[in-house]
């Protein structure tokens, strides 16, 4: 099974399970009933951004090592490309904090 299919199926099961859990019996409804969807959204935003950055970093890192082995003068350009790929994970962290801060 492809990893993305597995990830999407796990995420859909988690979303379905989160929708089934409401206020427990013998408890009053509180103002924090919508916090679960915020946590799931923040987790998905950060998780998918980290997943994409990890896949991209594997591709760029492998190609970068090949370039550096052939021409060591291009090492600084490879580091720039690696930094650009890692910025995707930083954007995911920022989006997570924006979602949780609302």
């Amino acid at each position: 099974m492809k990893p993305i299919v597995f990830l999407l199926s796990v995420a859909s099961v988690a979303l379905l399970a989160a929708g089934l859990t409401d206020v427990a019996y013998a408890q009053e409804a509180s103002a924090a009933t919508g916090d679960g969807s915020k946590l799931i959204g923040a987790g998905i935003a950060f998780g998918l951004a980290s997943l994409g950055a990890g896949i991209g970093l594997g591709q760029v890192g492998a190609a970068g090592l090949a370039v550096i082995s052939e021409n060591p003068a291009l090492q600084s350009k490879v580091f720039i490309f690696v930094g650009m790929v890692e910025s995707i994970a930083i954007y995911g962290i920022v989006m997570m904090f924006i979602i949780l801060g609302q």
Side-chain angles (χ1 to χ4, degrees):
M1 182 183 330
K2 292 184 178 180
I4 192 72
V5 174
F6 177 72
L7 178 69
L8 289 176
S9 62
V10 169
S12 63
V13 169
L15 288 174
L16 286 174
L20 295 176
T21 58
D22 251 352
V23 178
Y25 295 109
Q27 289 183 349
E28 295 182 14
S30 65
T33 55
D35 285 341
S37 60
K38 281 186 181 180
L39 293 174
I40 290 174
I44 289 173
F46 179 61
L48 290 178
S50 298
L51 178 73
I55 293 171
L57 193 58
Q59 301 281 333
V60 172
L65 286 175
V67 167
I68 291 172
S69 67
E70 290 182 13
N71 188 359
L74 295 175
Q75 183 176 2
S76 61
K77 290 184 181 181
V78 170
F79 286 151
I80 291 171
F81 287 129
V82 168
M84 290 172 67
V85 172
E86 287 186 11
S87 68
I88 296 171
I90 295 171
Y91 295 148
I93 292 172
V94 169
M95 290 307 299
M96 179 186 70
F97 285 130
I98 288 173
I99 291 171
L100 291 178
Q102 289 180 351

